[in-house]
């Protein structure tokens, strides 16, 4: 018996000549993108490409997350809640992808990492300007972080601007106020350069929302979307901590931080404290 041909012929209408038209590679600038991986190890180390690709793809996802966060914040500012929620839903999927990515880097053993670590010099993920933009947009403001980017004027300018602007949560509170909710005025006129701290009156406001979800559905849904974002961010932080501990143990980080201990302290940081505090009230 004759076997089934293991071949799929090209359909007649498939484009094959790109001498005068744009190809997939042209649109995505793959010549630029795929030439950006330049290992420095000498002699070449097999696992350096993994390390570079892991962090470059993370930066691409962070770029998209900053884009979506800025848009969600702007939409809240104009009280366009539905599209803002759509942006937040996309942000969660980006976060899950970033967290899953750590599993690839976790295949790097301590011995393999030791071969490429000298070539990283003082570079560190701590110096990711886009990661700091995400933190500032979510409300984890820290003026000291701006100075880390004194060598990069564009990045420093973006962070300095975000430092002095309301965060996503600040814009949500302003939106609530415009909708008639009793948001304390001090939260609407505060110093945006400082991180938000728990406000008991705001906990009361959210307790009322959670006590009657059907009456406050848009606000209720937004609260849960924000909790999802923070939860996903904490999962990313924890997975990062696990992978670092697995690969380098308790060594000092390449950027000078204490490494694992520094990352562990970040787990105590919160963006939306009232949305967690209110959970203690529900059902009481």
């Amino acid at each position: 018996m004759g076997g089934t041909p293991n071949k799929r012929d090209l359909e007649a209408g498939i484009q094959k000549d790109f001498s005068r038209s744009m190809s997939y590679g042209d649109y995505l600038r793959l010549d630029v993108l795929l030439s950006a991986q330049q290992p420095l190890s000498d002699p070449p180390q097999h696992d350096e490409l993994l390390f570079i690709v892991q962090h470059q793809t993370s930066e691409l996802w962070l770029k998209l997350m900053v884009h979506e966060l800025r848009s969600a914040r702007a939409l809240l500012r104009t009280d366009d809640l539905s599209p803002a929620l759509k942006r937040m839903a996309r942000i969660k999927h980006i976060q899950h992808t970033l967290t899953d990515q750590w599993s690839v880097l976790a295949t790097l053993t301590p011995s393999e990492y030791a071969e490429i670590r000298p070539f990283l010099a003082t570079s560190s993920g701590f110096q990711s300007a886009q990661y700091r933009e995400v933190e500032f947009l979510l409300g984890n403001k820290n003026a000291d972080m701006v100075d880390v980017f004194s060598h990069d004027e564009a990045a420093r300018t973006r962070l300095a601007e975000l430092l002095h602007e309301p965060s996503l949560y600040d814009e949500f509170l302003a939106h609530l106020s415009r909708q008639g909710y009793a948001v304390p005025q001090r939260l609407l006129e505060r110093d945006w350069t400082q991180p938000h701290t728990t406000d008991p009156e705001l906990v009361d406001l959210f307790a009322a929302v959670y006590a009657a979800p059907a009456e406050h559905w848009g606000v209720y849904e937004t609260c849960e979307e924000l909790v999802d974002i923070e939860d996903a961010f904490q999962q990313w932080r924890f997975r990062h901590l696990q992978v670092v501990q697995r690969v380098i143990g308790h060594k000092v980080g390449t950027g000078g931080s204490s490494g694992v201990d520094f990352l562990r302290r970040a787990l105590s940081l919160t963006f939306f404290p009232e949305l967690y505090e209110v959970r203690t009230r529900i059902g009481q």
Side-chain angles (χ1 to χ4, degrees):
M1 295 178 63
T4 302
N6 191 22
K7 178 183 177 182
R8 181 180 63 172
D9 293 330
L10 291 181
E11 296 174 351
I14 289 179
Q15 179 83 17
K16 290 186 287 185
D17 182 2
F18 296 98
S19 58
R20 296 185 179 181
S21 57
M22 182 170 63
S23 71
Y24 172 81
D26 294 334
Y27 177 70
L28 295 178
R29 300 288 306 278
L30 292 183
D31 56 335
V32 176
L33 183 66
L34 298 181
S35 64
Q37 297 75 47
Q38 300 288 333
L40 298 179
S41 54
D42 185 17
Q45 298 298 319
H46 174 81
D47 297 296
E48 190 177 3
L49 184 61
L50 160 63
F51 194 86
I52 292 172
V53 168
Q54 170 87 25
H55 290 83
Q56 287 185 343
T57 53
S58 293
E59 289 296 327
L60 287 172
W61 285 119
L62 287 170
K63 181 174 184 176
L64 182 58
M65 197 188 308
V66 168
H67 175 68
E68 300 296 342
L69 281 168
R70 285 182 176 274
S71 178
R73 187 180 62 162
L75 288 164
L76 286 175
R77 190 177 298 137
T78 55
D79 299 321
D80 293 317
L81 188 59
S82 293
L85 290 171
K86 180 65 166 64
R87 303 292 191 271
M88 293 182 204
R90 181 175 292 166
I91 288 163
K92 290 188 298 184
H93 287 292
I94 297 169
Q95 290 176 298
H96 293 155
T97 298
L98 280 165
T99 299
D100 289 343
Q101 242 179 236
W102 284 119
S103 296
V104 184
L105 194 64
T107 64
L108 190 67
T109 69
S111 301
E112 291 164 346
Y113 179 67
E115 296 297 325
I116 64 174
R117 181 177 171 122
F119 302 96
L120 303 181
T122 55
S123 65
S124 167
F126 177 83
Q127 300 147 13
S128 168
Q130 292 193 124
Y131 175 80
R132 300 303 166 189
E133 286 183 61
V134 169
E135 284 204 317
F136 280 19
L137 281 161
L138 289 174
N140 185 16
K141 302 289 187 73
N142 184 342
D144 291 340
M145 285 306 311
V146 177
D147 293 334
V148 174
F149 300 94
S150 296
H151 65 288
D152 184 340
E153 184 177 351
R156 191 183 191 286
T157 297
R158 291 195 306 272
L159 284 171
E161 289 174 350
L162 286 174
L163 181 70
H164 291 87
E165 295 173 356
S167 70
L168 180 70
Y169 194 48
D170 293 322
E171 291 293 359
F172 176 49
L173 298 183
H175 165 74
L176 291 181
S177 178
R178 290 189 295 271
Q179 303 309 304
Y181 289 87
V183 177
Q185 192 65 27
R186 61 182 171 275
L187 298 181
L188 304 173
E189 300 174 346
R190 69 183 192 85
D191 180 359
W192 306 126
T193 66
Q194 299 302 310
H196 175 83
T197 56
T198 307
D199 189 285
E201 290 185 49
L202 197 54
V203 177
D204 292 340
L205 187 159
F206 287 132
V209 169
Y210 276 85
E215 297 174 24
H216 310 276
W217 190 261
V219 176
Y220 175 73
E221 183 180 8
T222 308
C223 289
E224 286 300 288
E225 287 289 339
L226 291 171
V227 169
D228 285 346
I229 288 173
E230 172 147 350
D231 184 59
F233 201 96
Q234 291 287 38
Q235 290 181 45
W236 182 91
R237 280 174 169 161
F238 183 67
R239 190 68 181 114
H240 183 194
L241 167 66
Q242 285 183 309
V243 173
V244 170
Q245 187 166 358
R246 173 178 178 147
V247 175
I248 72 169
H250 287 269
K251 293 186 182 73
V252 172
T254 49
S257 76
S258 57
V260 166
D261 292 337
F262 180 79
L263 296 175
R264 184 173 286 115
R265 289 195 294 275
L267 294 174
S268 65
L269 301 175
T270 180
F271 302 119
F272 321 123
E274 293 85 4
L275 297 182
Y276 285 89
E277 184 67 28
V278 74
R279 279 152 164 73
T280 306
R281 299 271 199 94
I282 298 171
Q284 287 187 345

